[in-house]
Amino acid sequence: MSDIQKIHELWKIYDMICDATIGINELFSFKVLIIFTGTFISIVFNLFHAMMSLTELNGEDASFHTILLVLALHHCIMYLLIMLVPIAVCNGSKQIIKNFAILINQLMVHEWDVNLSAKLHHFSMYMIHRKPNYSASGLCVLDNSLLFTIIGAITTYIVILMQFSTINSNTNVLNFIVSDNTTRS
């Protein structure tokens, strides 16, 4: 098998990988979106309940709140793993393709015959224009940046829920004070 034929075989394999990612996106992207959305909501509410249990650890039911805290954190870890595994797999395959593209570009540096250099150049250009990409219904790309975006959004929602919780408890205290003052009068 000549060098040009080997490059042509690699090109076909790369093309099959790109076609496979398109098929994976068509079959699973909506399911991934639904699973990630549900997992995101579950993580937010479990962390919120963990934070609320943490504030109640000094109260009467400290052991009960400790159990709630442990269970909520356990659920959060499990849900994070549900999100982490697909993201890690997608990011890992993208990294392998990136390393493959680097190897092809490193081969272009060497002095080859004109036909082999032209084939490597065309293959390199093809790899630039057709990159495999995993997405959740086109809304977000499944890579490590999505993980950091999700963590930032979870943190934001936890802060918002904690602020609403504080406002709600302050409102209850104000209602108690107002109702106590009206009964004294």
Side-chain angles (χ1 to χ4, degrees):
M1 183 179 271
S2 71
D3 290 337
I4 293 178
Q5 289 173 332
K6 289 178 185 176
I7 300 241
H8 186 69
E9 289 299 315
L10 287 174
W11 197 325
K12 287 185 348 189
I13 291 170
Y14 182 82
D15 200 37
M16 288 189 319
I17 291 171
C18 290
D19 290 341
T21 58
I22 290 170
I24 289 169
N25 284 337
E26 288 174 357
L27 288 174
F28 298 111
S29 65
F30 186 69
K31 293 173 189 169
V32 168
L33 180 66
I34 296 298
I35 289 170
F36 276 25
T37 303
T39 304
F40 174 79
I41 292 169
S42 297
I43 290 172
V44 168
F45 284 113
N46 276 307
L47 279 177
F48 175 70
H49 287 297
M51 297 293 284
M52 296 310 293
S53 294
L54 194 60
T55 59
E56 298 291 327
L57 280 180
N58 296 331
E60 301 170 1
D61 300 328
S63 61
F64 175 72
H65 289 291
T66 304
I67 292 171
L68 284 179
L69 175 67
V70 169
L71 286 174
L73 291 176
H74 176 265
H75 281 107
C76 288
I77 291 169
M78 296 305 295
Y79 286 126
L80 278 174
L81 287 176
I82 289 172
M83 294 177 92
L84 185 64
V85 170
I87 290 173
V89 169
C90 293
N91 197 58
S93 67
K94 285 173 65 174
Q95 191 64 35
I96 289 170
I97 294 295
K98 183 179 176 182
N99 291 340
F100 184 65
I102 290 170
L103 288 174
I104 294 296
N105 286 327
Q106 287 174 346
L107 282 174
M108 289 175 50
V109 173
H110 297 291
E111 294 294 324
W112 305 102
D113 67 346
V114 176
N115 292 335
L116 185 58
S117 294
K119 193 72 160 176
L120 285 171
H121 179 71
H122 289 136
F123 188 26
S124 176
M125 293 303 292
Y126 183 78
M127 291 174 70
I128 289 172
H129 293 293
R130 186 167 189 208
K131 294 179 182 176
N133 216 2
Y134 301 97
S135 70
S137 292
L139 294 176
C140 57
V141 177
L142 301 180
D143 59 2
N144 286 342
S145 65
L146 176 64
L147 191 61
F148 292 111
T149 303
I150 289 171
I151 290 171
I154 287 171
T155 305
T156 301
Y157 279 107
I158 293 295
V159 168
I160 291 169
L161 286 173
M162 292 300 287
Q163 288 174 344
F164 278 134
S165 172
T166 305
I167 290 171
N168 190 22
S169 65
N170 289 344
T171 304
N172 289 341
V173 169
L174 283 174
N175 287 340
F176 176 74
I177 291 172
V178 169
S179 66
D180 190 43
N181 284 340
T182 56
T183 57
R184 286 186 187 176
S185 301

